[in-house]
Amino acid sequence: MRGVLLRWLVLTAAVLAASGALDGIRVAGVGSAILAAATLGILNAFLRPLLILLTLPVNILTLGLFTFLINALLLKLVSYVITGFVVQGFWTAVLGALIISLVSWLLNAFIGGRGRVEKTPYIDLQKRGDRWE
């Protein structure tokens, strides 16, 4: 449960970062950002896989870049549902979805599998003879 709350906080920070970076995304307050992050998380969990499956041929042809348009569509949908969260224009939604994805990815890199902030593991390779182990 702690991991879900921590990732929700990360998504909220990403929404606030996108609203700070783009003029076309406005958040009325932290409460609206929390609700927008929760709605976006629920839509990403349930609706996004269905949309990706339905648009799979287009997604394959564009080498996955169509996923950004799906993310923008979901972000725009959240702006229609949450009253204190406004996304003006489709291309603003595309840039906002890109910023939210990057910030979420960067901050989630520090969250481990148990939902705690952890140091990211790495593989320490050593050369033994002619092989790397």
Side-chain angles (χ1 to χ4, degrees), residues 60-72:
I60 289 172
L61 285 175
T62 61
L63 301 176
L65 293 177
F66 193 75
T67 306
F68 289 120
L69 298 179
I70 292 172
N71 291 343

Side-chain angles (χ1 to χ4, degrees), residues 63-120:
L63 301 176
L65 293 177
F66 193 75
T67 306
F68 289 120
L69 298 179
I70 292 172
N71 291 343
L73 175 74
L74 292 177
L75 187 64
K76 193 75 171 147
L77 186 63
V78 169
S79 74
Y80 290 129
V81 174
I82 304 298
T83 56
F85 181 68
V86 177
V87 177
Q88 295 177 341
F90 182 73
W91 293 109
T92 303
V94 171
L95 288 175
L98 182 65
I99 291 171
I100 289 172
S101 297
L102 289 175
V103 172
S104 294
W105 171 73
L106 181 66
L107 292 178
N108 278 321
F110 296 106
I111 299 174
R114 295 185 175 185
R116 297 182 190 157
V117 178
E118 297 176 357
K119 187 172 130 180
T120 57

Side-chain angles (χ1 to χ4, degrees), residues 32-48:
S32 296
I34 289 171
L35 287 175
T39 308
L40 189 60
I42 290 169
L43 288 178
N44 279 335
F46 295 109
L47 190 58
R48 186 172 180 247

Side-chain angles (χ1 to χ4, degrees), residues 1-46:
M1 186 64 165
R2 181 178 176 182
V4 172
L5 293 177
L6 191 56
R7 284 184 174 84
W8 187 9
L9 181 66
V10 164
L11 189 57
T12 302
V15 167
L16 288 172
S19 71
L22 298 172
D23 290 334
I25 298 178
R26 288 193 307 266
V27 179
V30 178
S32 296
I34 289 171
L35 287 175
T39 308
L40 189 60
I42 290 169
L43 288 178
N44 279 335
F46 295 109

